[in-house]
């Protein structure tokens, strides 16, 4: 081992990888010094409030803003006509490209004469305070001509259906098909065919902090700065450049501390445009912070899908083929793309050997809040569909549910395993590494799967209904093509790492600092990690799809490695030493057997800072800075399995999840403590998806769950005992073997809980076909089973484990 490979304390570079290190973010959060959007207060700042539609669908005949403009303290009342002089287009053209689109449904910056969902912004008031702005909203008079509202995506595609957009010919946003193999032959030779109709209901991200913007215009430099609680600052800057017709050099987007993202903050919103325009028009700082009701009716949501599926298996329950249809509620506008539907379709077949597959997907426009990714981005829905089908197969064929899965899982010896599908970017899907059967075996062993049946019988004799459920998953992570990172050492010896990745609570800054510190032989606390600032690094893509550690982390690792190698070269030249004689530790590079012969990082930076007359060492460029664009189109596939243990009260329908066990493989872990935290957060989110979170609308597309008395979130009291088991199969796709972790916990959890509820209620022959499942729905299923038993007096089915 060369001395140059040593870091602080004489340990080998790489010794910080895999260690649970304290987070850099915690000090500011615990002391209350973190700066979120609403903590930004500037002299002369004005405040914005939005007038939002109370109709799901209506034509706007007239907007009268005179009384609002006359209110003392009001500086402007803005409609779309007021914004148009500043805009190259009144529409946010943000859709990811796809040949499958049949309708262009771009959101206007403010309503363009027709409102298409409750909560759509119509006008904005800019005033001295939010209180005055809210008062002014009540003075704006809007004449509406109500139009028929489409509340059900199934009804939206029926012949003669009402139109969600009066100017569109129909409600079919897009249609796509995922297919491979000979599906007709698969079903023709099947020994058994099982069917399931499933519904995964709409929910939201519901981060602790709602969205917000602060815009500042400097008319001396003609420069606009937008502080935004976004997951994608560079994308927001690029959208602003396009819609405002301003050069990127005249714009800066900064992401301050963010209180959770979960997908909806990835999206570029009308409010981002309006707040920016208000600052340009009034030449004053302008702030808007979303309130919680706005979050329910204006921030994008996800998950409403209807599946009608069939699975063909042979006489050993080995899968021959799957086919069916999936209907996806797209909401009122295209705010992102078709990626949620893509993610759902692909997830179905990921963990298992499926020779033939045919899924037709239709996306329907409705008069509801637009749909974009929420944690998992369609993958929990796809896992739910597949795992429910496998439980039906097991039940109908009289087999153990785990055995059915074991016979069909992709085997470890077959990795890397190509799948006959491509990503939405056209990249072949190849499962890069992992041992799925071993992950399932881990959770079965930890849950005492084989011994549970006796415990279940004993509980039933006491009048208690308990059950176990199982689900496997494969998650696509680390979407490319890149996320650059710059590592810089200045002449004072301070080290900084900068990236376009956005920190929103998932320890991104700690991750980056740990990787850089690992290479440079210093503590994490000596690294300043700067994320989400378009002025600090030219390009960036942002935080989503469990990609930040994979992409930004790999770039930071490579940039730090380049800095270390450059410092070694400089010091080696200065002291006439070869690489093997040098060590890197404690902020210095020195000759290992003569530590006095060396230079501090600051001295090294000063040596290449361009002093007059100083000659740079041969092959060494100026400055102590390195930027790396680790580029990878193929995705890294995390995998694992989950078992849930539940108890159902058959008198109330209440479900208590007593235990959840998750086996998980994200390749090389940087910081195991942070990995565990991300998994726990995903499990909590999945528990909400399974039992609680339901974004309701009535038949006129009016939202009926607009506060936390109606929309239920998981609290500490609902969390079960959680056991986390880890496996590690480093991916060959990046230099550290990294895979993503941020969304993994949510993907198998709803499916495992549904399976467990069904197992607990096996004496009634109940089948769980939706998520979330509410107590009253469980009671209805039990009552239907009892009535069926009364009509057919044979004993109730004992159910199969």
């Amino acid at each position: 081992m060369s001395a140059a490979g040593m870091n602080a304390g004489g340990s080998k570079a790489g010794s910080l990888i895999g260690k649970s290190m304290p987070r850099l973010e915690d000090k500011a959060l615990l002391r209350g010094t973190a700066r979120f959007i609403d903590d930004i207060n500037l002299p002369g700042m004005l405040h914005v409030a939005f007038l939002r539609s109370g109709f799901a669908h209506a034509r706007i005949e007239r907007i009268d803003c005179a009384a609002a403009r006359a209110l003392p303290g009001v500086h402007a009342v803005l409609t779309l006509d007021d914004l148009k002089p500043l805009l190259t287009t009144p529409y946010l053209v943000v859709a990811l490209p796809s040949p499958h689109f049949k309708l262009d449904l771009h959101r206007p910056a403010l309503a363009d004469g027709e409102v298409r969902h409750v909560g759509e912004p119509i006008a904005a008031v800019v005033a001295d305070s939010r209180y005055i702005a809210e008062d002014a909203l009540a003075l704006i008079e809007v004449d509406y001509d109500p139009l028929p509202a489409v509340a059900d995506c199934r009804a939206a595609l029926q012949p003669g259906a009402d139109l969600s957009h009066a100017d569109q010919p129909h409600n079919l946003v897009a249609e796509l098909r995922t297919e491979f193999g000979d599906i007709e032959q698969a079903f023709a030779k099947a020994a058994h065919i099982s069917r399931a109709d499933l519904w995964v209901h709409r929910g939201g991200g519901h981060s602790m902090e709602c969205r917000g913007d602060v815009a500042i215009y400097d008319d001396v430099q003609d420069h606009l700065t937008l502080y935004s609680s976004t997951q994608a600052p560079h994308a927001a800057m690029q959208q602003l450049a396009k819609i405002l017709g301003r050069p990127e050099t005249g714009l800066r987007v900064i992401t301050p501390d963010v209180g959770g993202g979960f997908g909806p903050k990835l999206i570029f919103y009308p409010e981002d445009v309006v707040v920016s325009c208000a600052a340009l028009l009034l030449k004053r700082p302008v702030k808007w912070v979303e309130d919680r009701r706005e979050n329910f009716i204006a921030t994008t949501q996800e998950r409403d899908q209807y599946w009608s599926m069939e699975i063909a298996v042979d006489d050993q329950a080995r899968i021959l083929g799957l086919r069916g249809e999936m209907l996806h509620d797209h909401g009122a506008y295209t705010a992102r793309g078709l990626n949620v539907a893509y993610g759902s379709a692909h997830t179905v077949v990921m963990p298992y050997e499926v020779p033939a597959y045919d899924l037709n997907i239709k996306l329907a426009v409705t008069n509801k809040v637009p749909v974009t990714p929420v944690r998992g981005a369609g993958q929990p829905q796809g896992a739910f569909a597949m795992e429910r089908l496998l439980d039906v197969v097991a039940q109908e064929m009289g087999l153990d549910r785990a055995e059915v899965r074991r016979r069909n899982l992709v085997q470890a010896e077959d990795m890397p395993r190509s799948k006959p599908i491509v990503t939405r970017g056209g990249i072949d899907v190849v499962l890069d590494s992992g041992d799925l059967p071993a992950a399932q075996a881990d959770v079965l062993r930890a849950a005492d799967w084989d011994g549970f049946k006796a415990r279940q019988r004993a509980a039933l004799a006491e009048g208690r209904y308990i059950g176990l459920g199982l689900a496997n998953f494969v998650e696509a992570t680390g979407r490319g093509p890149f996320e650059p990172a710059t590592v810089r050492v200045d002449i004072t010896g301070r080290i900084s790492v900068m990236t376009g990745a956005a920190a929103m609570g998932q320890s991104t800054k700690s991750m980056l600092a740990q990787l850089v510190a690992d290479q440079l032989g210093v503590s994490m606390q000596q690294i300043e990690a700067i994320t989400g600032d378009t002025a600090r690094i030219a390009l960036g893509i942002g935080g989503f799809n469990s990609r930040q550690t994979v992409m930004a982390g790999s770039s930071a690792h490579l940039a730090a490695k380049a800095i270390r190698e450059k410092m070694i070269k400089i010091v080696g030249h200065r002291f006439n030493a070869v690489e093997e004689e040098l060590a890197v530790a404690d902020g210095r590079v020195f000759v290992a057997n003569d530590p006095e012969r060396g230079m501090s990082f600051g001295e090294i930076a000063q040596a290449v800072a361009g002093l007059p007359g100083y000659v740079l060492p041969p092959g060494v460029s100026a400055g102590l800075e390195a930027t790396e664009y680790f580029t990878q189109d193929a995705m890294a596939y995390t995998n694992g399995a989950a078992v849930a243990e539940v108890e159902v009260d058959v008198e109330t329908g209440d479900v208590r999840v007593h235990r959840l066990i998750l086996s998980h493989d994200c390749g090389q872990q940087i910081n195991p403590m942070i990995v565990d935290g991300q998994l726990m957060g995903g499990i909590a989110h999945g528990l909400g998806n399974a039992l609680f979170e339901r974004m309701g609308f009535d038949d006129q597309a009016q939202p009926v769950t607009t506060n936390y008395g109606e929309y239920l979130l998981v609290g500490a009291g609902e969390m079960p005992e959680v056991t986390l088991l880890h496996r590690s199969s480093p991916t060959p796709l990046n230099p550290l073997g990294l895979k993503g972790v941020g969304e993994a916990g949510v993907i198998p959890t709803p499916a495992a809980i549904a399976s467990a509820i069904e197992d607990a209620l096996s004496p009634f022959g109940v089948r769980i076909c939706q998520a979330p499942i509410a107590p009253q729905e469980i009671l209805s299923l039990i009552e239907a089973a009892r009535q069926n038993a009364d009509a057919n007096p044979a004993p109730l089915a004992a159910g199969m484990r």
Side-chain angles (χ1 to χ4, degrees), residues 210-261:
C210 295
R211 294 184 292 125
D213 292 308
V214 172
I216 307 162
Y217 176 61
D218 182 344
D219 60 347
V220 174
Q221 298 188 56
D222 189 25
H223 189 276
L224 177 69
T225 298
L226 179 69
Y227 288 87
S228 182
S229 57
T230 178
Q231 297 173 219
H234 284 82
M237 183 265 289
Q238 291 159 6
Q239 291 297 333
L240 280 175
K242 288 190 291 185
I243 200 168
L244 297 176
R246 300 178 67 84
E248 291 186 11
T249 53
L251 294 167
R252 182 183 185 184
V253 175
I254 304 171
T255 301
D257 289 309
V258 174

Side-chain angles (χ1 to χ4, degrees), residues 199-206 301-307 327-329 340 371-372 374-375 378 380-381 685 688-690 692-695 711 746 750 771-772:
W199 176 35
V200 186
H201 189 43
R202 176 184 282 250
H206 295 280
Q301 302 165 358
E302 200 209 67
R303 291 199 303 274
D304 229 2
Q305 292 180 352
Y306 295 88
W307 297 71
L327 180 57
H328 177 91
D329 187 336
V340 174
V371 167
T372 66
V374 172
R375 195 176 201 160
Q381 296 95 305
H685 211 148
N689 292 352
F692 301 107
E693 297 190 47
R694 182 189 301 263
M695 186 63 208
Y711 186 101
V746 73

Side-chain angles (χ1 to χ4, degrees), residues 310-614:
E310 292 184 310
I311 182 169
V313 298
D314 65 16
D315 58 2
Q316 296 299 306
R318 290 187 173 86
I319 299 170
L320 301 175
L322 290 98
R323 67 185 177 193
E325 296 181 346
M326 186 261 280
L327 180 57
H328 177 91
D329 187 336
H330 189 71
Y333 292 103
T334 299
R336 182 67 176 173
L338 309 180
N339 47 332
V340 174
Y342 265 111
S344 298
H346 289 182
T347 302
V348 171
V349 299
M350 285 293 192
Y352 301 104
E353 294 291 359
V354 180
Y357 184 45
D358 186 358
L359 180 67
N360 189 63
I361 303 170
K362 293 181 180 179
L363 293 90
V365 58
T366 61
N367 294 117
K368 298 180 182 178
V369 178
V371 167
T372 66
V374 172
R375 195 176 201 160
Q379 295 176 101
Q381 296 95 305
F384 189 84
M386 185 60 162
E387 299 298 322
R388 293 280 67 222
L389 280 169
L390 292 175
D391 277 358
V392 175
V393 169
Q395 184 184 58
E396 293 179 349
M397 296 186 71
L399 295 170
D400 181 82
R401 291 168 292 162
E403 178 61 20
V404 169
R405 287 164 170 81
R406 187 192 63 78
R407 295 177 187 182
N408 288 287
L409 283 168
V410 172
Q411 299 298 299
E413 58 267 25
D414 294 330
M415 295 291 188
R417 178 70 169 89
S418 296
K419 290 282 184 175
I421 50 178
V422 297
T423 68
R424 57 183 170 80
I427 306 301
D428 290 340
V429 172
V430 179
L431 304 186
D432 45 322
S433 63
D435 190 337
L436 280 71
Q440 175 173 295
D442 287 344
V443 294
L444 296 180
R445 185 166 48 251
D448 187 25
W449 181 272
D450 293 333
F452 181 75
K453 193 171 184 179
R455 187 153 62 91
Q456 187 180 41
R457 285 194 297 266
L460 188 59
E462 300 171 356
R464 296 173 51 240
Y465 293 78
I466 63 174
L468 281 185
L470 169 67
N472 290 290
F473 75 98
V474 168
E475 179 198 1
T477 76
R479 186 174 297 281
F482 61 82
E483 190 66 64
T486 296
V487 176
R488 177 185 302 153
V489 181
D490 68 20
I491 61 173
T492 69
R494 291 184 175 89
I495 306 165
S496 58
V497 53
M498 294 157 281
T499 177
M504 55 240 183
Q506 77 283 51
S507 310
T508 298
K509 292 183 179 182
S510 293
M511 173 271 294
L512 294 168
Q514 190 163 347
L515 289 171
V516 173
D518 177 73
Q519 284 295 312
L520 299 186
V522 296
S523 71
M524 289 172 57
Q525 287 69 29
Q526 292 174 262
I527 311 292
E528 181 188 19
I530 301 168
T531 62
D533 185 344
T534 63
R536 298 299 191 103
I537 193 164
L539 293 175
I541 296 176
F544 55 94
N545 209 159
S546 299
R547 68 183 302 273
Q548 309 241 73
T549 299
V550 176
M551 302 308 298
S554 293
S555 293
H557 165 77
L558 293 173
K561 187 176 181 181
I563 289 290
R564 188 189 70 187
E565 291 170 353
K566 186 172 185 177
M567 291 193 299
I568 288 170
K569 185 176 292 186
I570 293 166
V571 173
H573 180 265
R574 172 71 64 89
F575 293 100
N576 194 29
V578 298
E579 177 181 345
E580 288 72 18
E581 297 175 327
L582 299 175
V584 181
D586 301 322
R588 297 181 71 246
V589 181
F590 53 90
V591 178
N593 60 8
D594 187 1
E596 295 300 317
R597 298 174 61 211
M599 301 171 68
S600 70
F601 286 1
E603 291 170 332
I604 298 170
Q606 182 71 66
V608 289
L611 291 175
Y614 177 78

